[in-house]
Structures are given as C-alpha cells and as structure tokens.
Amino acid sequence: MQYNNKMNRILAALLLLLSAHALHAQDKQNMFNPVNTSVTSLSIAPDARGGAMGDTGAATEADVNSQFWNPAKYPFNIARAGAAVSYTPWLRKLVNDINLADLVGFYRIGDYSAIHGSLRFFSLGEVYLSGMDDMTINPYEMAVDVGYSRMLSERFSMAVNMRFIYSDIKYDYTAESSAGKAFAADIALYRLGYLMAGNRECSFGWGLNISNIGSKISFGGDDNSEFIPTNLRLGANFTVPFNEYNKFSVAADLNKLLVPTYPKQMDDEADNDYEDRVQREYYDISPIAGIFKSFHDAPNGFKEELEEIQWSLGCEYTYNDRFMMRAGYHHEAANKGNRKYFTVGAGFRMSVFTVDAAYVFSTSQTNPLDQTMRFTLGFDLDGMKDLFGRRR
C-alpha cells in the first residue's frame, strides 16, 4: 500500500496493528489484506462506556456520547442537555505521547428533536525529523461535527451529522505538501421497542449508523486522494430490569468499512500493469462508487468479504441508575488487522456528573492496544441547573 506521506504510513500501521506473529511469512504475503484508509483516528471509539462494552454503541441506551455511535439516539435521552469530555492515552505500549481527546454535547429541543456536536483531537505527540533541516513537528488530526436528530414516531428516530476533517500529519514541508481536508456526513436510524417478559417490561433497540460519507482527502505531492473511513455500523441492544434497582443490558454491533480493498499484485502481473490497475480500480474510484464496490471487491471472494466485518459484544449491569459495571469483547479477522481484545469498565453517576473508565485486555501478547485506558467525565446540565437552583 502506498501512502501520500510517511506519517500517514506510520499512523495506519499503528492503528491497523499488524500481527506478524499470527501468520507464517508466506501466508502473510498471500492472505494479510486489511482495508486501508486515511484519517484512521476517526474510527477510534472516544468514550469509556462504549469502550468498556467491547466498542458497542449503535443501539445501547441513549447517553451524551451517542454522537460517535448513533446520533439518532439523542431524542430518547432523559436529560434535556448534557456534555462530556473523554481522554484516551493511545498505544501506550509503543509510545507515551499519542492521545485522543473528545468533547461532545447535546440539547433536546422540545420532546422530539435534538441538536448535538463534537470536537475530537488526535495528537501524535512530537516527531523528530532528521536530515538537511532537522526539526521537531507535532502532527495531529481533528474533526468537528454538528448534527440534528428527530423522532419520527414515539419509537423511531433519524439523525444526520455534518463533519469537517483536518489532518496535519505531513512530514514534507514543501510547496507540494499540505494538510489534508475533507467533508463528510453521517446518516443514522434508531428504534426503541418494549416487550413484556413475565411482569417485567424489557426494552429492545436496534440502530444503524453510516458514518463519514464524504470526500476523499489529499495531502498534496501527487494527484491521488485517499479514502476516509466510511463505516457501516449495525447494532442491537436488549435490557432486562430485574427489579426497581437492578437492570442488565446485552448489546452487539457489526462494523464494516465501506471502502474498496487495495488491489493486490498478481504473480504474473508486470509492475506497470499493476500500477495502471491500482490507478483505475482504486484511486480513480469516487467515494460513493467505493461504498458499493466495497461489498464485492475482496480478492478471495465472499469469504474475505465476511472477514471484513468486525463484531463486538458488550454487557452492562446498572444498580439504582448510579453504579455501572461493564464488559465486552471485540473481534477482527486476523487477515484484516487482528484486533481482538476483551474490555472491562465501570461508571458512577451523580445528579450532576458521571465518571466512566474502561480498560483493554488484548488476546494477543504483541497487540499495542493491550492495557489501553479510557476516561470520560459527563455533565447533566439539567442536574447542574437544579443544583444551582437549590443553592439559591
């Protein structure tokens, strides 16, 4: 895979977590074929609740961090307004200065709609460049988005997000090189239903979020632009209240990148012919055409297409709507990145704020995601208003 710049190669290599130990050398050459994108930091789960549940969130109960998972959940929030800040020290087994910070907020308009937005900042820390002009740079990526969601019925809602993406990870400060910019949109659906199990009213939800539908991104230096991580997320959630104080939820998500697979060179294919085919079948493909192409372009056919689907399972126990325990598992095929890990976490909710934390246990000893922590601090603006009102 050829990238427009060196830093993009580094970032993609880190986030794809290539697991060379899992396959023999010849097998890796023939089988390992992850779906590559630029601005891969957009795929990182920002908050501790979803992160503790194995990276699930398309259909879990609505909260302040629904912007990343499924913004169509916002009208179902109990709170009128909320905000949260999340922080993740990323890939701590490799480096100590890569971080993801996320700020998100929402406000419900009346009883049926909401506006919401977020700002995420992904810093790669300091990078020293040696050569004729030695320098230290601070590459980063950021995204700003705003959205609107509305209930179309008492149980069904829809949302749209608009996003601006900025990626300044260039290492070549020449006239031909520039920071990458792109625009994207999300389309999301959510349905919440209820059913009786004995004398308990259980809730069942499903959600769909197609995120980062937008332009390609270019860093200058050539005429080729890279795909951003357009993603299809489909999920379901089932919540059982045991009694007035205890409830338990089980959630599952499926994810597929809606991006074409980078073509592999065939054994009898000349280099020039291969480069022409890459240009024709990859770089010349529009983002919308790439979405449809992503369902049928895997070199090894339908089996490999299924391997491109990541799946996650998560569960959450809640006591008195105050204390939460969570666990989950995330799976990605070995040929597509091999990100396989268990997650655990906990949360504590007061009238004004919520504190959540999550921890990753990798099933692979060489996985840099192992021992990753996430932290989220959320604020219920209704609770703050009541608190200040009582004090007055």
Side-chain angles (χ1 to χ4, degrees), residues 9-301:
R9 291 198 304 269
I10 295 174
L11 180 60
L14 288 174
L15 298 179
L16 286 171
L17 308 177
L18 308 184
S19 54
H21 71 287
L23 301 169
H24 298 293
Q26 187 63 35
D27 290 339
K28 285 192 297 177
Q29 181 179 355
N30 296 333
M31 298 174 60
F32 192 78
N33 191 28
V35 178
N36 294 295
T37 71
S38 189
V39 204
T40 44
S41 62
L42 291 176
S43 301
I44 301 174
D47 67 292
R49 184 196 180 201
M53 298 176 67
D55 290 352
T56 63
T60 52
E61 293 183 351
D63 66 359
V64 65
N65 292 293
S66 299
Q67 182 77 346
F68 175 81
W69 303 103
N70 186 345
K73 297 190 297 182
Y74 275 119
F76 290 89
N77 261 292
I78 297 176
R80 175 68 61 182
V85 59
S86 299
Y87 176 75
T88 302
W90 194 244
L91 301 180
R92 276 300 188 258
K93 294 192 71 174
L94 296 180
V95 292
N96 59 8
D97 60 353
I98 296 181
N99 306 289
L100 172 67
D102 183 80
L103 176 65
V104 62
F106 78 96
Y107 178 78
R108 284 200 298 116
I109 305 171
D111 295 327
Y112 302 102
S113 61
I115 55 175
H116 30 84
S118 70
L119 167 66
R120 67 161 48 205
F121 187 87
F122 184 75
S123 172
L124 277 79
E126 292 187 351
V127 178
Y128 177 73
L129 301 179
S130 60
M132 296 182 60
D133 297 322
D134 292 352
M135 67 174 67
T136 299
I137 63 174
N138 298 92
Y140 69 92
E141 294 180 335
M142 65 174 292
V144 182
D145 51 59
V146 294
Y148 175 78
S149 54
R150 182 173 181 82
M151 296 175 64
L152 304 181
S153 71
E154 292 185 355
R155 298 186 179 184
F156 181 72
S157 62
M158 184 176 181
V160 292
N161 279 335
M162 302 299 296
R163 179 172 296 109
F164 171 70
I165 303 163
Y166 185 88
S167 179
D168 188 6
I169 57 174
K170 60 184 183 295
Y171 76 102
D172 182 10
Y173 286 80
T174 63
E176 293 80 15
S177 178
S178 62
K181 305 177 184 68
F183 292 90
D186 305 342
I187 300 175
L189 305 173
Y190 178 64
R191 189 183 190 282
L192 180 63
Y194 298 92
L195 55 89
M196 296 301 298
N199 59 349
R200 303 185 182 96
E201 185 180 57
C202 305
S203 64
F204 175 79
W206 67 264
L208 171 71
N209 185 19
I210 305 177
S211 57
N212 298 316
I213 307 169
S215 60
K216 290 184 177 181
I217 191 168
S218 175
F219 298 90
D222 57 39
D223 296 329
N224 294 328
S225 300
E226 302 289 343
F227 288 94
I228 61 175
T230 306
N231 184 75
L232 170 64
R233 180 183 298 274
L234 178 65
N237 180 80
F238 187 69
T239 300
V240 180
F242 296 117
N243 51 46
E244 182 180 358
Y245 298 100
N246 300 275
K247 64 180 179 179
F248 186 78
S249 299
V250 178
D253 276 14
L254 299 176
N255 281 278
K256 176 176 170 55
L257 283 170
L258 304 182
V259 175
T261 303
Y262 195 85
K264 299 183 70 174
Q265 186 171 7
M266 295 180 288
D267 294 337
D268 57 349
E269 187 175 19
D271 291 343
N272 290 338
D273 293 338
Y274 173 62
E275 293 175 1
D276 291 341
R277 185 165 63 88
V278 169
Q279 188 69 41
R280 183 176 63 255
E281 298 181 1
Y282 189 79
Y283 287 112
D284 291 344
I285 299 295
S286 69
I288 300 301
I291 291 176
F292 294 99
K293 190 174 187 292
S294 67
F295 289 99
H296 60 81
D297 66 342
N300 293 323

Side-chain angles (χ1 to χ4, degrees), residues 48-49 65 324 326 346-348 354-358 374-378:
R49 184 196 180 201
N65 292 293
M324 291 74 69
R326 306 176 180 112
F348 183 72
T354 302
V355 179
D356 296 299
R374 288 186 177 94
F375 305 94
T376 297
L377 178 62

Side-chain angles (χ1 to χ4, degrees), residues 307-363:
E307 291 178 345
E308 293 181 356
I309 300 175
Q310 305 173 39
W311 56 267
S312 305
L313 295 175
C315 59
E316 179 182 54
Y317 164 74
T318 303
Y319 174 74
N320 198 27
D321 287 329
R322 298 292 185 184
F323 181 71
M324 291 74 69
M325 294 290 293
R326 306 176 180 112
Y329 176 74
H330 180 89
H331 177 89
E332 182 180 57
N335 299 335
K336 295 298 176 178
N338 201 35
R339 286 173 291 186
K340 303 173 184 175
Y341 47 85
F342 290 96
T343 60
V344 295
F348 183 72
R349 181 183 295 122
M350 299 292 288
S351 59
V352 176
F353 64 87
T354 302
V355 179
D356 296 299
Y359 189 78
V360 173
F361 296 93
S362 174
T363 60

